[in-house]
Amino acid sequence: MYDQLTFETREDDLRLRGCWENVLKKVSALMAPKMAERFLHRIRPAELRDGVAILEVPNSFNVEWIRSRCLSDLQRAISEELGETVLVELRINATARRPEVTAITELRAQPVVVERSARCSFEPGDRYRFDNFVTGQSNRLAFAGAKAVASDPGKKYNPLFIYGPSGLGKTHLLHSIAREVLQRDPNFPVVYISAQQFAEELISSLQQGKIEPFRRAQRSVGIWLVDDIQFIAGKDRTQEELFYTFNHLHQTGKQIVLCSDRPPRELHLMDERLRSRFESGLVADIQWPDTETRSAILLNKAHEEGVPLTTQVALYLAEHVPGNIRNLEGAMTKLAVQSSLNNHEISMDLAQEMVELHYSKAALARPSFTQILDVVSKFYRIPVEDIRGTSRKAPIALARHVAVYLTREVTQGSWKHIGHQFGDRDHTSMMHAYEKISKMAGGDRDFANVVRSLLRNLNPDGQ
Ligand code: ADP
Ligand code: MG
């Protein structure tokens, strides 16, 4: 059921995994079987570290859903099973989504223990594939380059350099290449690494006097996928190492693919020798996609995640949600969570309300709920999870009530919405909390000053 255990697996992790079935039973009993199947059973208990259980879930939709519906139930069940208080942290599964959290990453069709780097094993997630990459004018060249490289590594465009703003599909393409190559030949030596990981691995191997194994590992690949290369601009030692690796691979006909947020010529702090090497193959850009492409991407995602989104709503979001594809996906997630909480379909009305609440000019200028929790948590020195939790201990309850008060003041959200933000609480309890804080501030000048200064912290331009 879980990834195979590596020699890194710790006793605490095993305890967490050991109790998982019971936790599932307990928490599943509190919700409809369909929901348990859809959300709970996709959680993977990953680690238990310093009293925090890290649970992995496949995507941000699941994170939001679990946060708003059953985070405290999970926390309680795990704590009961382990006989100690445990906090819960949700993380999107690295193998299914963001590769940045992995160390030097060897991609294989099957999970393997990576010998040279004990930190992780990695298989390309299902999420990023050529067949779910939507093409349009904005990304056609990059897509064609990536396809060509995947079908014939080292033969056509070498290196392939893809650049474009964040959140427009560069990592998606890198993963798609890896996936296709490995599907054809599961033993093909594929390395995916972000430039930041490259720098970190380099530093730690220098510290441990193990530079040779590091070099061997980087150079014994058939296809080398380096993400976010802009990160090493200005880092001379890393550039030097990358330069030698690059040359070695290039001379031996190995495929190199690099991604960056800007074109080679604009990597100002990059060594000129590297820059010109980056330009020596195919340089392909990804531009901002037009509205039609944005809505096609969104409809695709919705289909994959089982979110019932109409073309009309997709177009509306594509037009009104500012920012990159990641933001657009985030908006869809919000909408899907909201509709499942309300038990209501994703209508145009709901979409308009959500856009107004989160993406209108006024909303974008407002501090977010996370910022509010953060400010209150820092001030009262109480963890965010407790503020959103169910404890009735006086200091925690006070911090929670203040957070409710600030949320209402700052976001102008409906009581119902605020109730959801605070872990699916009843809207009347939110109103009571607000009134309580208003009264306290009315009768106690010091307390009123505290609330005012917290508000000012969140809203420096306000009065
Ligand atoms: P980048 O690496 O450029 O910052 P990502 O590859 O992480 O961006 O993409 C961000 C999100 O947008 C991912 O979920 C990705 O699947 C999605 N995405 C971006 N462009 C496309 C596209 N053309 N088709 C499908 N999904 C896309
Ligand atoms: Mg990326």
mmCIF file of all heavy atoms in Angstrom, residues 124-139:
data_model
loop_
_atom_site.group_PDB
_atom_site.id
_atom_site.type_symbol
_atom_site.label_atom_id
_atom_site.label_comp_id
_atom_site.label_asym_id
_atom_site.label_seq_id
_atom_site.Cartn_x
_atom_site.Cartn_y
_atom_site.Cartn_z
ATOM 1 N N PRO A 124 7.851 9.406 -11.507
ATOM 2 C CA PRO A 124 7.109 10.534 -12.058
ATOM 3 C C PRO A 124 5.633 10.371 -11.738
ATOM 4 O O PRO A 124 5.081 9.298 -11.907
ATOM 5 C CB PRO A 124 7.360 10.434 -13.560
ATOM 6 C CG PRO A 124 7.896 9.085 -13.804
ATOM 7 C CD PRO A 124 8.462 8.566 -12.527
ATOM 8 N N GLY A 125 5.029 11.429 -11.239
ATOM 9 C CA GLY A 125 3.624 11.343 -10.863
ATOM 10 C C GLY A 125 2.752 11.208 -12.106
ATOM 11 O O GLY A 125 3.197 11.444 -13.220
ATOM 12 N N ASP A 126 1.528 10.864 -11.879
ATOM 13 C CA ASP A 126 0.592 10.711 -12.977
ATOM 14 C C ASP A 126 0.125 12.031 -13.533
ATOM 15 O O ASP A 126 -0.439 12.117 -14.601
ATOM 16 C CB ASP A 126 -0.676 10.013 -12.448
ATOM 17 C CG ASP A 126 -0.582 8.540 -12.712
ATOM 18 O OD1 ASP A 126 0.386 8.137 -13.367
ATOM 19 O OD2 ASP A 126 -1.481 7.825 -12.243
ATOM 20 N N ARG A 127 0.359 13.042 -12.744
ATOM 21 C CA ARG A 127 -0.271 14.319 -12.997
ATOM 22 C C ARG A 127 0.240 15.047 -14.233
ATOM 23 O O ARG A 127 -0.535 15.637 -14.967
ATOM 24 C CB ARG A 127 0.020 15.166 -11.764
ATOM 25 C CG ARG A 127 -1.046 16.093 -11.395
ATOM 26 C CD ARG A 127 -0.607 16.834 -10.159
ATOM 27 N NE ARG A 127 -1.005 18.212 -10.291
ATOM 28 C CZ ARG A 127 -2.241 18.629 -10.117
ATOM 29 N NH1 ARG A 127 -3.160 17.773 -9.769
ATOM 30 N NH2 ARG A 127 -2.544 19.894 -10.265
ATOM 31 N N TYR A 128 1.525 14.981 -14.450
ATOM 32 C CA TYR A 128 2.109 15.757 -15.538
ATOM 33 C C TYR A 128 2.436 14.860 -16.724
ATOM 34 O O TYR A 128 3.424 14.131 -16.702
ATOM 35 C CB TYR A 128 3.394 16.442 -15.056
ATOM 36 C CG TYR A 128 3.190 17.478 -13.971
ATOM 37 C CD1 TYR A 128 4.216 17.774 -13.076
ATOM 38 C CD2 TYR A 128 2.001 18.181 -13.862
ATOM 39 C CE1 TYR A 128 4.041 18.740 -12.090
ATOM 40 C CE2 TYR A 128 1.819 19.141 -12.883
ATOM 41 C CZ TYR A 128 2.848 19.410 -12.006
ATOM 42 O OH TYR A 128 2.692 20.362 -11.047
ATOM 43 N N ARG A 129 1.610 14.952 -17.757
ATOM 44 C CA ARG A 129 1.832 14.104 -18.930
ATOM 45 C C ARG A 129 1.689 14.943 -20.201
ATOM 46 O O ARG A 129 1.039 15.977 -20.186
ATOM 47 C CB ARG A 129 0.778 12.984 -18.969
ATOM 48 C CG ARG A 129 0.633 12.206 -17.690
ATOM 49 C CD ARG A 129 -0.363 11.077 -17.886
ATOM 50 N NE ARG A 129 -1.648 11.509 -18.413
ATOM 51 C CZ ARG A 129 -2.675 11.904 -17.644
ATOM 52 N NH1 ARG A 129 -2.557 11.901 -16.328
ATOM 53 N NH2 ARG A 129 -3.801 12.288 -18.200
ATOM 54 N N PHE A 130 2.261 14.443 -21.292
ATOM 55 C CA PHE A 130 2.075 15.158 -22.550
ATOM 56 C C PHE A 130 0.596 15.188 -22.928
ATOM 57 O O PHE A 130 0.094 16.168 -23.422
ATOM 58 C CB PHE A 130 2.858 14.476 -23.677
ATOM 59 C CG PHE A 130 4.320 14.826 -23.670
ATOM 60 C CD1 PHE A 130 5.287 13.830 -23.708
ATOM 61 C CD2 PHE A 130 4.730 16.153 -23.623
ATOM 62 C CE1 PHE A 130 6.631 14.154 -23.704
ATOM 63 C CE2 PHE A 130 6.073 16.487 -23.622
ATOM 64 C CZ PHE A 130 7.025 15.480 -23.658
ATOM 65 N N ASP A 131 -0.090 14.075 -22.659
ATOM 66 C CA ASP A 131 -1.470 14.035 -23.156
ATOM 67 C C ASP A 131 -2.416 14.919 -22.350
ATOM 68 O O ASP A 131 -3.548 15.120 -22.760
ATOM 69 C CB ASP A 131 -1.987 12.595 -23.278
ATOM 70 C CG ASP A 131 -2.128 11.919 -21.930
ATOM 71 O OD1 ASP A 131 -2.503 12.582 -20.964
ATOM 72 O OD2 ASP A 131 -1.860 10.709 -21.843
ATOM 73 N N ASN A 132 -1.991 15.432 -21.203
ATOM 74 C CA ASN A 132 -2.879 16.402 -20.535
ATOM 75 C C ASN A 132 -2.282 17.814 -20.524
ATOM 76 O O ASN A 132 -2.692 18.670 -19.762
ATOM 77 C CB ASN A 132 -3.290 15.949 -19.127
ATOM 78 C CG ASN A 132 -2.134 15.927 -18.153
ATOM 79 O OD1 ASN A 132 -1.017 16.288 -18.502
ATOM 80 N ND2 ASN A 132 -2.398 15.525 -16.930
ATOM 81 N N PHE A 133 -1.308 18.029 -21.392
ATOM 82 C CA PHE A 133 -0.771 19.379 -21.558
ATOM 83 C C PHE A 133 -1.527 20.029 -22.711
ATOM 84 O O PHE A 133 -1.512 19.532 -23.830
ATOM 85 C CB PHE A 133 0.731 19.309 -21.857
ATOM 86 C CG PHE A 133 1.408 20.649 -21.831
ATOM 87 C CD1 PHE A 133 1.854 21.195 -20.644
ATOM 88 C CD2 PHE A 133 1.587 21.372 -23.012
ATOM 89 C CE1 PHE A 133 2.473 22.441 -20.609
ATOM 90 C CE2 PHE A 133 2.202 22.622 -22.983
ATOM 91 C CZ PHE A 133 2.647 23.149 -21.771
ATOM 92 N N VAL A 134 -2.199 21.110 -22.414
ATOM 93 C CA VAL A 134 -3.009 21.762 -23.445
ATOM 94 C C VAL A 134 -2.121 22.724 -24.237
ATOM 95 O O VAL A 134 -1.427 23.552 -23.650
ATOM 96 C CB VAL A 134 -4.170 22.551 -22.795
ATOM 97 C CG1 VAL A 134 -4.972 23.297 -23.848
ATOM 98 C CG2 VAL A 134 -5.056 21.598 -22.002
ATOM 99 N N THR A 135 -2.148 22.605 -25.543
ATOM 100 C CA THR A 135 -1.284 23.484 -26.331
ATOM 101 C C THR A 135 -2.089 24.583 -27.004
ATOM 102 O O THR A 135 -3.272 24.431 -27.282
ATOM 103 C CB THR A 135 -0.541 22.699 -27.445
ATOM 104 O OG1 THR A 135 -1.505 21.970 -28.181
ATOM 105 C CG2 THR A 135 0.479 21.765 -26.852
ATOM 106 N N GLY A 136 -1.417 25.674 -27.218
ATOM 107 C CA GLY A 136 -2.003 26.819 -27.917
ATOM 108 C C GLY A 136 -0.835 27.600 -28.482
ATOM 109 O O GLY A 136 0.335 27.175 -28.346
ATOM 110 N N GLN A 137 -1.139 28.742 -29.041
ATOM 111 C CA GLN A 137 -0.097 29.588 -29.599
ATOM 112 C C GLN A 137 1.035 29.839 -28.595
ATOM 113 O O GLN A 137 2.206 29.881 -28.942
ATOM 114 C CB GLN A 137 -0.755 30.924 -30.001
ATOM 115 C CG GLN A 137 -0.026 31.708 -31.036
ATOM 116 C CD GLN A 137 0.216 30.855 -32.281
ATOM 117 O OE1 GLN A 137 -0.615 30.054 -32.690
ATOM 118 N NE2 GLN A 137 1.397 31.021 -32.865
ATOM 119 N N SER A 138 0.654 29.955 -27.330
ATOM 120 C CA SER A 138 1.601 30.409 -26.312
ATOM 121 C C SER A 138 2.684 29.388 -25.955
ATOM 122 O O SER A 138 3.741 29.755 -25.460
ATOM 123 C CB SER A 138 0.828 30.737 -25.032
ATOM 124 O OG SER A 138 0.088 29.598 -24.619
ATOM 125 N N ASN A 139 2.426 28.116 -26.202
ATOM 126 C CA ASN A 139 3.398 27.121 -25.721
ATOM 127 C C ASN A 139 3.728 26.049 -26.760
ATOM 128 O O ASN A 139 4.318 25.031 -26.440
ATOM 129 C CB ASN A 139 2.853 26.450 -24.455
ATOM 130 C CG ASN A 139 1.485 25.837 -24.670
ATOM 131 O OD1 ASN A 139 1.127 25.479 -25.789
ATOM 132 N ND2 ASN A 139 0.717 25.716 -23.604
#
